[in-house]
Amino acid sequence: MRKINYFILGIFLFVSCQSVEPKNNEIQPKNIILMIGDGMGLSQLYSGYIANKGFLNAERCKHIGLSKTHSANSLITDSGAGGTAIACGYKTNNKFIGMTPDSIPVNSILYYAEINQKATGLVAASAITHATPASFIAHNPVRYNYESIAADFLKTDIDLFIGGGLDHFTKREDEKNLVDSLKAKGYEIALNMDQVNAFTGKKLAGLLYDKHPPYSTEGRGDMLRQSTIKAIETLSKNEDGFFLMVEASQIDWAGHDNVSDTLVQEMIDFDNTIGTVLDFAANNGETLVIITADHETGGYAIIDGNIENGEIEGRFSHDDHTAVVVPVLAFGPQAELFMGFMENIDIFTKMYKAFGFDTEALNK
Ligand code: MG
Ligand code: ZN
């Protein structure tokens, strides 16, 4: 009897260890969760480790690369071109969303996931119409055309999105009420976190704030992580898997404002969300997680501090984006694809390849 118990325990341990990170790169991920820290360079990432007194969830990713972020028309990308590169696999001009420099619309990984029967979702700690999430859904030569970007959500079959930006759907120049249009398309609408948490259906439009969610986690609490949990719970119901993009939008804003404390808060908020996602991926075994940034913001440097008490003294060399390569961390099946130096557009190609989608179907 005891022998059998040890045998069962042995199998259990074997399976548990396997589920930490599947090593077999022959396995194709059923799900991809792409996590973008807007403006997250290596210093921003490492500030989370110091502030957490020597702990960072992102460290659980053993496959690490570096992404070159320059856009089609500038060494320094903005979040429109940076988002488009990652989402669609094209270097484009700054301020462009989902288009080539010649203004030709191009499809995103979210679109390809949709046509390959996967459930799809976007979660952002900004307006959902802001450049990074917009790059996965919209096509526009001007990233600030928020109302037009909001209308593009209705042209897709995205299953779930959660962020701010309600005004872009309801207080519009064309006087259309896109929330009504979303309801007509079968979406439930959530206007606050309680409604997100109570949601048990299939299609959710979470428009939690008129404009952006509050700047800093003191104002919006655990919104990013809780929204991500709901997104995973909802999209997991699809038998064919899912694609989800999660953006920690405001690391970038703290970089522009040169406020180190807020930057660190935003980084920890992102890393807490990363921890929850990696827990899911480790248990699930069929989920590839990619954590990266569209660019670095602020030329941030850690010039002093203390790991024991979590103190950080940060300095900024700039109030805008910089050219430096940004980290790419990957976890799960096909994580090996994301090692070494790469162009930001390669992140799209590698996700497309990892999913095993038909390469001949690209942009047709
Ligand atoms: Mg962004
Ligand atoms: Zn920025």
Side-chain angles (χ1 to χ4, degrees), residues 158-172:
I158 186 169
D159 297 282
L160 172 147
F161 54 95
I162 306 171
L166 176 65
D167 281 358
H168 305 142
F169 290 79
T170 54
K171 292 184 182 161
R172 302 167 52 82

Side-chain angles (χ1 to χ4, degrees), residues 18 41 78 83 90 100 111 155 183 190 207 213 221 243 268 272 276 278 289 296:
Q18 289 293 302
D78 80 326
Y90 283 83
T100 66
Y111 166 83
K155 296 176 189 159
K183 283 182 188 162
L207 295 163
F243 170 80
I268 288 179
N272 289 340
T276 298
L278 293 179
V289 182
E296 197 273 348

